[in-house]
């Protein structure tokens, strides 16, 4: 079934909307005519500037994706949501040889996996009430093949890739588009100090919305991720070797 989701007139929820990619997605949704965007953030005061600019169409919602009560409360407020963007994430470094493996894996899984599982579970009923909608999960290129330097983070993003595939299958007969987003390095606080060329969060946001409009299930939103996505489609082993 072809699922093309235009954001014009839609009601969306974005987790981690106060900075980085989530903020850019929130702005792009509003600029492209979303009727309302629930902006999820741990600290809603960090949304003041966006609120001032967009007024009633932007609804700040307190959301800590590691707190069950916070998730339930957010889902109750946003009970008319049609598009869910699971963007909130952390990047805790750890691997076997470098140390910090168990601690970093727990941190990454708590936010990047369990956060997405619980938020999606809490919001799904509301999304399914509508004729059409979307659930967009922000994974990473290192979710397709593990990058050993960020082994623990990669595991959490691979889990999101798998979750996205499974949910897409479960919702196959509905008009809900389930897409994974697989960015390369993007210029946000998460990659501060990285000595490489990076895509802007604004362009990533545009690519994600274009992907939704085109019904794309695997969204590669920047030049590097497009290259990796292409290589992965031909040979997953090549990408694994490249990352290691
Ligand atoms: N930047 C990259 O190169 C890159 C590449 C691939 C994938 N990604 C993914 O893209 C997504 C956004 O990353 P980013 O680069 O925009 O990172 P960022 O600038 O560090 O922003 C992370 C966002 O997630 C929120 N967040 C973290 N823990 C949370 C929690 N427990 N509950 C609710 N919100 C929480 C943060 O809120 P606070 O302000 O309260 O901390 C912030 O809004 C993440 O899933 C990341 O893994 C990023």
């Amino acid at each position: 079934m072809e699922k093309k989701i235009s954001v014009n007139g839609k009601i969306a929820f974005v987790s981690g909307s106060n900075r980085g990619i989530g903020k850019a997605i929130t702005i792009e949704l509003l600029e492209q005519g979303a009727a309302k965007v629930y902006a999820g953030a741990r600290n809603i005061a960090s949304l003041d500037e966006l609120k001032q600019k967009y007024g009633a169409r932007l609804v700040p919602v307190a959301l800590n994706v590691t707190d069950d009560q916070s998730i339930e409360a957010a889902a109750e407020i946003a009970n008319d949501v049609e598009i869910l963007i699971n963007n909130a994430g952390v990047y805790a470094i750890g691997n076997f040889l470098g140390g910090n493996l168990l601690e970093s894996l727990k941190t990454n899984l708590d936010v990047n996996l369990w956060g997405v599982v619980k938020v999606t579970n809490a919001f799904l009923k509301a999304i399914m009430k509508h004729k059409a909608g979307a659930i967009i999960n922000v994974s990473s290129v290192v979710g397709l093949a593990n990058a050993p330097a960020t082994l623990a983070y990669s595991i959490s993003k691979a889990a999101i890739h798998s979750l996205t595939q499974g949910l897409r299958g479960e919702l196959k007969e509905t008009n809900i588009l389930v897409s994974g987003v697989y960015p390369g390095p993007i210029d946000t606080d998460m990659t501060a100090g990285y000595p490489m060329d990076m895509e802007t969060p604004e362009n990533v946001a545009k690519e994600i919305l274009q992907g939704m409009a085109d019904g794309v299930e695997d969204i590669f939103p920047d030049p590097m991720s497009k290259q990796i996505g292409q290589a992965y489609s031909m040979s997953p082993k090549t990408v694994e070797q490249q990352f290691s």
Side-chain angles (χ1 to χ4, degrees):
M1 191 189 301
E2 199 175 61
K3 304 177 185 184
K4 297 187 172 185
I5 307 298
S6 150
V7 302
N8 190 33
K10 295 275 194 320
I11 300 172
F13 188 104
V14 183
S15 68
S17 65
N18 55 310
R19 57 194 174 97
I21 296 171
K23 180 178 180 182
I25 294 171
T26 301
I27 292 171
E28 195 59 29
L29 284 163
L30 289 159
E31 293 294 332
Q32 290 198 21
K36 182 164 58 178
V37 178
Y38 293 106
R42 287 194 285 195
N43 170 15
I44 54 173
S46 59
L47 295 163
D48 283 354
E49 198 188 312
L50 283 182
K51 178 70 189 158
Q52 264 182 16
K53 181 160 182 207
Y54 292 102
R57 284 201 300 142
L58 184 125
V59 181
V61 179
L63 176 67
N64 179 345
V65 303
T66 62
D67 176 339
D68 292 358
Q69 280 182 351
S70 165
I71 293 171
E72 288 309 320
E76 253 176 54
I77 294 168
N79 61 9
D80 52 355
V81 71
E82 299 168 279
I83 296 170
L84 170 63
I85 316 266
N86 283 310
N87 161 78
V90 289
Y91 182 62
I93 301 281
N95 59 14
F96 283 95
L97 300 184
N100 196 33
L101 174 62
L102 298 185
E103 198 184 315
S104 63
L105 185 56
K106 179 163 178 8
T107 303
N108 285 311
L109 290 178
D110 280 351
V111 178
N112 299 349
L113 173 62
W114 283 106
V116 175
V117 170
K118 289 178 178 181
V119 169
T120 304
N121 204 29
F123 282 63
L124 192 53
K125 212 184 260 175
I127 297 169
M128 290 186 75
K129 281 191 304 212
H130 300 280
K131 283 205 191 84
I135 299 173
I136 309 297
N137 298 327
V138 181
S139 176
S140 166
V141 284
V142 301
L144 297 175
N146 196 296
T150 61
L151 180 139
Y153 174 77
S154 296
I155 292 172
S156 71
K157 291 299 183 181
I160 284 309
H161 175 52
S162 177
L163 178 157
T164 303
Q165 290 176 321
L167 182 63
R168 185 183 301 132
E170 281 202 74
L171 300 183
K172 192 165 62 177
E173 303 304 333
T174 73
N175 273 322
I176 300 169
L177 173 70
V178 180
S179 300
V181 182
Y182 302 89
I186 310 303
D187 191 5
T188 69
D189 296 342
M190 194 173 271
T191 51
Y194 265 38
M196 54 169 72
D197 282 345
M198 290 187 269
E199 182 57 281
T200 65
E202 290 75 21
N203 282 346
V204 169
K206 285 189 174 67
E207 290 271 340
I208 292 173
L209 266 58
Q210 188 60 52
M212 288 167 59
D214 293 339
V216 177
E217 294 178 348
D218 306 313
I219 301 173
F220 295 95
D222 57 281
M224 183 195 276
S225 70
K226 285 184 203 308
Q227 271 181 14
I228 292 169
Q230 181 72 23
Y232 184 81
S233 70
M234 291 188 287
S235 167
K237 183 54 87 178
T238 303
V239 177
E240 178 192 323
Q241 287 165 346
Q242 195 183 335
F243 285 178
S244 69

